[in-house]
Amino acid sequence: MAETRTEALHRNAEGLDIQAPEAILVSLVDAQIEAAKAVRNAIPAIARAAEIIADRLNRGGKLAYAAAGSSGLMALADALELPGTFGIRRDRIAILIAGGDEAFKTLAGGPEDDTEEAATAVANAGIGAGDCLIALSASGTTPYAVRAVEEAARRGAATIGIANNRDTALLRQADTAILLETPPEVIAGSTRMGAGTAQKIALNMLSTLTAVHLGHVHDGYMVNLMADNIKLRDRAARIVAAVSGRSTDDAARLLEKSGGAVKTAILLAAGADSADAAQKILEEAGQKLRPALSALAHDPGKDHARTKK
């Protein structure tokens, strides 16, 4: 196999093991910063991918993540946070990791070569037409990730590939290719470091922009969050108060009326007659709060509360 950037030796690696601890850490953090900067070049591709994902989710499709090893952990972190942060239903998200549940205990390397497991995982997740699959692989050649893309595409799903080496099988096979051309790792081949950092940043950007397209973000607030603990219930009340101009006590009461739905509570604050009426306005506005508030404000039959937009 030809050497790839993710397997090459970093320019600061020589004599690393005999350097002072502080010098080693400087090299490590500088490499992380350099890797993070590599994501900027992928912005156009990330923007295209977010549009595709949002379209599929908007139409009732599912979003699947497929990866192995460290890339699998990056995928897992992003996928698990989507319901709580943006209110995307858990049954609309599939997480396919080489090795299955056992990977969470051992993260063994062998399963990443198991292409049949990948094909079976895609099939068992019910991925097909109307869905979207994101596959990640630092090398861009991981058999599990490549096969997952091939199988998802065969079944009619849109596919997105994220890799840290250019002109690789994963990027060639995917409908949308996101290249994160990170520099060699300070510890050669340890892609949990720079490559993983870039993948996590790209996934953060991708899922956040998807949520913006879906109407789950308003003025930098997560207005579709799932408030299922004390911290998030408090955050939901502060969001309603900030957007509506009401007190946090009023916001908490409105959240009770809305069943905990932040957007609905904000529309109630803006003068919607009931939670059902607010939900209808949201549906007509494509679940986007800004146009919903605008529609409510322009209804001459309403006595609206003062709402910050």
Side-chain angles (χ1 to χ4, degrees), residues 17-286:
D17 53 298
I18 57 173
Q19 292 176 14
E22 291 82 358
I24 295 171
L25 293 176
V26 167
S27 291
L28 291 175
V29 75
D30 284 350
Q32 294 279 297
I33 292 167
E34 194 176 356
K37 288 179 179 177
V39 182
R40 184 174 290 276
N41 293 330
I43 284 175
I46 293 170
R48 290 193 298 273
E51 220 172 318
I52 293 165
I53 296 168
D55 177 70
R56 297 301 169 107
L57 288 174
N58 233 350
R59 295 170 183 268
K62 287 182 285 192
L63 172 61
Y65 295 73
S70 297
S71 294
L73 297 181
M74 298 302 106
L76 180 70
D78 195 66
L80 288 180
E81 293 201 62
L82 293 183
T85 305
F86 297 124
I88 296 172
R89 284 182 7 220
R90 295 187 187 278
D91 62 1
R92 304 275 293 283
I93 302 165
I95 306 169
L96 317 179
I97 295 186
D101 291 345
E102 190 63 27
F104 304 134
K105 301 175 187 174
T106 62
L107 207 63
E112 74 174 46
D113 295 333
D114 193 337
T115 56
E116 287 309 307
E117 182 195 336
T120 300
V122 171
N124 289 346
I127 303 304
D131 300 326
C132 183
L133 180 136
I134 305 169
L136 298 91
S137 163
S139 68
T141 59
T142 304
Y144 184 95
V146 174
R147 182 60 186 277
V149 163
E150 292 172 346
E151 183 64 18
R154 189 184 73 79
R155 292 170 171 271
T159 58
I160 296 162
I162 300 177
N164 298 79
N165 289 303
R166 65 170 54 247
D167 193 29
T168 51
L170 181 61
L171 298 183
R172 289 193 298 268
Q173 292 288 343
D175 298 327
T176 303
I178 298 175
L179 171 62
L180 308 173
E181 203 163 17
T182 49
E185 304 287 355
V186 175
I187 309 299
S190 184
T191 53
R192 70 186 183 88
M193 301 172 75
T197 293
Q199 288 179 358
K200 183 67 171 76
I201 292 170
L203 287 171
N204 286 345
M205 294 164 64
L206 182 55
S207 55
T208 300
L209 184 55
T210 296
V212 171
H213 287 318
L214 292 171
H216 299 338
V217 176
H218 179 92
D219 281 345
Y221 293 111
M222 51 180 86
V223 291
N224 208 49
L225 66 83
M226 185 184 297
D228 57 0
N229 65 25
I230 293 171
K231 178 187 74 175
L232 292 179
R233 283 191 289 273
D234 178 65
R235 180 179 296 164
R238 286 186 282 110
I239 290 171
V240 173
V243 176
S244 69
R246 297 289 194 93
S247 70
T248 52
D249 286 344
D250 281 347
R253 284 192 288 272
L254 291 166
L255 278 166
E256 283 186 27
K257 288 184 180 180
S258 73
V262 172
K263 294 181 196 174
T264 303
I266 291 169
L267 289 175
L268 287 171
D273 287 337
S274 65
D276 287 343
Q279 286 288 350
K280 185 176 180 183
I281 294 166
L282 275 171
E283 286 171 16
E284 292 171 351

